């Protein structure tokens, strides 16, 4: 999953001999924006070491570590951020996201629950929690979370695709195929194969042609 990152954009200093922390962060953000995470990491390491209470620098390092698939290190930074700002739903969500990558589903679910309690209008939070439920074969809860995600973002093709899986597992073939058709029309390539394999008797995409 690609993450957003925060930047501080300030006017460049007149001196060429010394860069401020904000300027170094801007340089790191520019590297991150070009997917040059390995190059950004040393800058962010220095910034966090010198400014360990600065949440923006630590968040950017966590994002960089996550995109480098160094999930345990990213988790450590996100947990510090969550401790510093426990009412910030984004940090709780990212802790959960890191735990999910480390195959700690129960811990991920706990932090996704917390994130949703703090911020109840972010479709991605419901999508990610729904995916945990789907992996745990808790199809009714998965469907409910995908419903919430789609209420907030009706064109989120991954929520449509995964809701189709949950509904298919619950024996709702027609509804599942309708979801996969909509997801396919929105560009979800995985839904195409599900339509071919599971919707031979009822394929709403074919019926609409």
């Amino acid at each position: 999953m690609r993450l957003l990152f925060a930047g501080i954009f300030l006017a460049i200093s007149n001196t060429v001999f010394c860069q401020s922390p904000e300027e170094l962060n801007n340089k790191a953000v520019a590297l991150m924006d070009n997917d040059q995470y390995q190059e950004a990491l040393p800058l962010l390491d220095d910034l966090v070491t010198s400014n360990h209470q600065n949440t923006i620098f630590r968040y950017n390092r966590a994002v960089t570590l996550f995109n480098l698939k160094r999930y345990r290190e990213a988790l450590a930074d996100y947990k510090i951020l969550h401790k510093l700002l426990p009412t910030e739903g984004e940090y709780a969500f990212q802790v959960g996201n890191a735990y999910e990558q480390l195959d700690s589903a129960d811990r991920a679910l706990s932090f996704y629950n917390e994130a949703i309690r703090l911020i109840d209008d972010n479709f991605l939070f419901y999508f990610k929690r729904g995916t945990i439920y789907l992996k745990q074969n808790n199809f009714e809860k998965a469907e409910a979370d995908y419903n919430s995600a789609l209420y907030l973002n009706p064109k989120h093709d991954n929520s449509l695709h995964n809701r189709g899986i949950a509904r298919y597992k619950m024996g709702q073939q027609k509804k599942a195929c309708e979801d996969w058709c909509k997801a396919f029309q929105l560009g979800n390539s995985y839904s195409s194969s599900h339509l071919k394999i599971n919707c031979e008797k009822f394929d709403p995409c074919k019926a609409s042609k």
Side-chain angles (χ1 to χ4, degrees):
M1 166 183 177
R2 178 77 183 277
L3 302 178
L4 298 177
F5 42 81
I8 300 176
F9 298 95
L10 300 178
I12 297 175
S13 172
N14 290 328
T15 176
V16 296
F17 300 106
C18 180
Q19 289 182 305
S20 70
E22 289 77 15
E23 290 170 327
L24 289 174
N25 184 65
N26 288 343
K27 184 176 180 179
V29 167
L31 291 167
M32 294 165 70
D33 197 36
N34 289 313
D35 295 334
Q36 294 176 276
Y37 296 105
Q38 196 64 58
E39 292 81 358
L41 185 58
L43 296 175
L44 294 166
D45 281 339
D46 288 343
L47 285 168
V48 172
T49 299
S50 302
N51 307 269
H52 63 277
Q53 292 294 320
N54 187 298
T55 56
I56 291 177
F57 300 162
R58 189 177 295 277
Y59 181 78
N60 284 345
R61 186 174 72 172
V63 170
T64 294
L65 290 166
F66 190 96
N67 280 281
L68 290 171
K69 299 184 179 181
R70 292 166 61 171
Y71 300 122
R72 292 192 182 279
E73 294 168 88
L75 174 61
D77 271 344
Y78 283 131
K79 289 178 78 173
I80 290 172
L81 290 167
H82 179 55
K83 185 176 181 180
L84 288 171
L85 294 170
T87 60
E88 177 54 62
E90 173 69 15
Y91 295 150
F93 172 75
Q94 295 301 349
V95 171
N97 194 33
Y99 271 128
E100 184 178 353
Q101 294 300 321
L102 293 167
D103 295 322
S104 296
D106 289 339
R107 290 182 178 179
L109 185 59
S110 175
F111 281 96
Y112 288 154
N113 286 337
E114 183 177 348
I116 289 171
R117 284 196 299 269
L118 293 167
I119 302 175
D120 63 1
D121 61 353
N122 188 314
F123 78 93
L124 194 57
F125 291 9
Y126 291 100
F127 168 73
K128 293 291 287 183
R129 189 175 70 174
T131 301
I132 294 289
Y133 286 137
L134 189 63
K135 291 176 181 177
Q136 295 178 335
N137 297 327
N138 195 334
F139 303 122
E140 289 185 0
K141 285 189 175 181
E143 181 187 28
D145 270 350
Y146 294 133
N147 287 342
S148 296
L150 289 164
Y151 175 78
L152 294 166
N153 183 357
K155 293 186 178 181
H156 189 233
D157 61 289
N158 285 330
S159 288
L160 280 165
H161 176 78
N162 284 5
R163 188 176 70 177
I165 294 174
R167 287 175 164 177
Y168 190 85
K169 293 290 186 179
M170 291 189 292
Q172 302 173 16
Q173 184 183 15
K174 181 178 180 180
K175 288 185 176 181
C177 293
E178 288 172 348
D179 279 345
W180 289 329
C181 178
K182 292 176 184 176
F184 172 66
Q185 291 171 341
L186 289 169
N188 193 303
S189 59
Y190 295 108
S191 293
S192 175
S193 60
H194 278 66
L195 284 165
K196 291 177 182 177
I197 296 170
N198 302 310
C199 300
E200 184 177 352
K201 294 182 180 179
F202 180 81
D203 187 343
C205 286
K206 287 183 179 179
S208 64
K209 290 181 180 179

